[in-house]
């Protein structure tokens, strides 16, 4: 059974930092590209970041570029998202997701490919 379990979210003040983790199991993690997806209250999901299966290629949504860093540790079956200089507009549920073969790296995968999410709230 494929499982993706996000953690590390919480309440942080503007300008603060959080590191999200995604523990993967039930599949060969190191052979799959992964993405981070987020969904703000009342909004649709949006793609945030991508990392290739081996970690050698990454991509970011323009609004987070330079502030967020995606990484992975395939030996630990774990995906990370380091988030710095957080702003209120970053408030959302954050999900890690497998990237389905043949899809664009900037696309939002079906929710079938997401974990359960972790809440990030940026507020004073």
């Amino acid at each position: 059974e494929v499982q993706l379990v996000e953690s590390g979210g919480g309440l942080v003040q503007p300008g603060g930092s959080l590191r999200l983790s995604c523990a993967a199991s039930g599949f060969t993690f190191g052979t799959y590209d992964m993405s981070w997806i987020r969904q703000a209250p009342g909004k649709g999901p949006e793609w945030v970041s991508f990392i290739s299966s081996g970690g050698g290629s990454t991509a970011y949504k323009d609004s987070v570029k330079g502030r967020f860093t995606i990484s992975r540790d395939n030996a630990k079956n774990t995906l990370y998202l380091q988030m710095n200089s957080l702003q209120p507009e970053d408030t959302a549920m954050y999900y890690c997701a497998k990237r389905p073969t043949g899809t664009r790296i900037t696309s939002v995968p079906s929710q079938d490919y997401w974990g359960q999410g972790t809440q990030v709230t940026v507020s004073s």
Side-chain angles (χ1 to χ4, degrees), residues 36-80:
W36 285 98
I37 308 297
R38 70 185 183 187
Q39 187 165 20
K43 304 292 185 179
E46 62 178 357
W47 170 83
V48 176
S49 188
F50 156 88
I51 188 166
S52 60
S53 60
S57 182
T58 61
Y60 300 91
K61 178 181 176 65
D62 285 347
S63 63
V64 310
K65 190 174 180 63
R67 300 188 296 119
F68 291 10
T69 303
I70 190 171
S71 62
R72 65 195 296 162
D73 187 337
N74 287 346
K76 296 181 178 179
N77 283 6
T78 303
L79 177 72
Y80 303 98

Side-chain angles (χ1 to χ4, degrees), residues 54-110:
S57 182
T58 61
Y60 300 91
K61 178 181 176 65
D62 285 347
S63 63
V64 310
K65 190 174 180 63
R67 300 188 296 119
F68 291 10
T69 303
I70 190 171
S71 62
R72 65 195 296 162
D73 187 337
N74 287 346
K76 296 181 178 179
N77 283 6
T78 303
L79 177 72
Y80 303 98
L81 186 67
Q82 178 67 46
M83 305 186 295
N84 298 326
S85 301
L86 283 162
Q87 301 300 314
E89 54 265 36
D90 297 315
T91 295
M93 284 289 294
Y94 283 72
Y95 305 88
C96 64
K98 295 171 63 179
R99 187 182 72 89
T101 301
T103 62
R104 286 185 161 87
I105 64 174
T106 58
S107 67
V108 177
S110 164

